[in-house]
């Protein structure tokens, strides 16, 4: 099982307990499987850096991880980060091959550690969906703003300060009523 092998290879013995606790936690302490995979992979990257010539004092592991893995990071930035890590003794291709997916985390937690999520209440499900939509909306706004600003720097679109507004609308096809997605949550809470 890859997760267990990686934990052992990087001497991250307490990480298994930690991701289990974060998965089973409630409220703000709870982490999704995707967030756990990112957290796990950042800990792997951090362990690899600790064994290298890179000083963690001047390196934010979260930023490095995002620069290595995010879809919206330019290939030039990814190459610079990889070269920097390689020059300082981090075999980044080997480290990246040890990164795991959210499915691998799920399999590890269920099959290797024998834990499963308790039944989710309706309120918890609503909150999870609301948070996911909010994150998607915020991310869409940030990616759009970054893209427009890069086009401004190239002179493709007019310069100036911009604000990006992402408004997700829901159209109920049977009644032709239209809502902002978050109005649906508010209407539910008022009932």
């Amino acid at each position: 099982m890859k997760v267990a092998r990686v934990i052992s290879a990087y001497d991250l013995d307490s990480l298994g307990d930690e991701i289990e606790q974060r998965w089973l936690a409630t409220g703000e302490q709870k982490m999704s499987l995707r967030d756990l995979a990112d957290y796990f992979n950042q800990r792997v990257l951090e362990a690899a850096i600790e064994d290298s010539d890179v000083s963690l004092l001047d390196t934010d592991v979260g930023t490095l991880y995002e620069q290595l893995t995010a879809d919206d990071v330019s290939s030039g930035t990814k190459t610079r980060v990889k070269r920097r890590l390689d020059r300082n003794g981090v075999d980044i291709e080997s480290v990246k091959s040890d990164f795991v997916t959210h499915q691998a985390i799920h399999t590890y937690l269920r099959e290797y550690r024998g834990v499963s999520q308790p039944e989710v209440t309706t309120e918890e499900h609503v909150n999870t969906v609301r948070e996911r939509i909010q994150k998607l909306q915020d991310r869409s706004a940030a990616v759009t703003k970054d893209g427009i600003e890069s086009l401004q720097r190239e002179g493709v679109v007019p310069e100036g300060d911009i604000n990006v507004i992402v408004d997700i609308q829901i159209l109920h096809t049977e009644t032709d009523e239209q809502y902002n997605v978050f109005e649906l949550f508010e209407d539910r809470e008022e009932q």
Side-chain angles (χ1 to χ4, degrees):
M1 181 159 298
K2 183 174 183 178
V3 173
R5 181 187 55 76
V6 171
I7 286 172
S8 176
Y10 289 86
D11 295 322
L12 297 170
D13 299 329
S14 64
L15 188 55
D17 290 336
E18 192 175 347
I19 62 173
E20 178 180 330
Q21 290 168 3
R22 289 173 184 258
W23 191 50
L24 296 175
T26 57
E28 292 182 13
Q29 308 303 318
K30 183 177 183 62
M31 290 177 74
S32 70
L33 291 168
R34 290 185 194 284
D35 290 340
L36 285 171
D38 287 337
Y39 180 77
F40 181 93
N41 294 338
Q42 287 179 40
R43 292 286 309 274
V44 168
L45 180 59
E46 181 178 35
I49 290 171
E50 285 176 352
D51 289 341
S52 74
D53 298 331
V54 180
S55 169
L56 279 176
L57 297 176
D58 64 357
T59 303
D60 176 50
V61 174
T63 301
L64 284 177
Y65 177 74
E66 185 171 330
Q67 290 171 334
L68 289 168
T69 61
D71 292 334
D72 62 335
V73 173
S74 72
S75 60
T77 299
K78 288 182 181 184
T79 301
R80 279 191 301 279
V81 170
K82 288 177 185 177
R83 284 184 185 150
R84 176 182 172 213
L85 292 170
D86 282 335
R87 277 193 314 269
N88 289 284
V90 177
D91 180 357
I92 195 59
E93 291 308 317
S94 176
V95 172
K96 284 180 67 178
S97 72
D98 288 332
F99 286 171
V100 299
T101 64
H102 69 281
Q103 293 100 333
I105 293 287
H106 188 251
T107 300
Y108 169 76
L109 289 167
R110 290 193 56 114
E111 294 179 13
Y112 188 83
R113 296 191 66 95
V115 295
S116 60
Q117 287 282 320
E119 288 292 319
V120 176
T121 66
T122 301
E123 195 60 36
E124 289 171 329
H125 186 228
V126 168
N127 288 336
T128 299
V129 170
R130 178 187 300 139
E131 288 172 15
R132 224 177 357 180
I133 292 170
Q134 184 65 55
K135 285 179 184 178
L136 176 63
Q137 185 170 315
D138 294 346
R139 183 81 176 133
S140 295
V143 169
T144 302
K145 185 173 183 176
D146 286 347
I148 297 300
E149 288 174 345
S150 73
L151 292 174
Q152 285 178 324
R153 287 189 295 274
E154 294 175 17
V156 176
V157 297
E159 289 188 32
D161 290 337
I162 62 167
N163 287 320
V164 176
I165 300 167
V166 176
D167 183 29
I168 300 172
Q169 295 290 311
I170 305 297
L171 177 62
H172 193 277
T173 57
E174 290 179 13
T175 63
D176 283 335
E177 292 181 90
Q178 186 170 336
Y179 305 91
N180 173 289
V181 69
F182 296 107
E183 289 174 356
L184 291 175
F185 296 116
E186 292 168 10
D187 289 348
R188 182 190 171 283
E189 291 169 354
E190 292 172 3
Q191 293 177 356

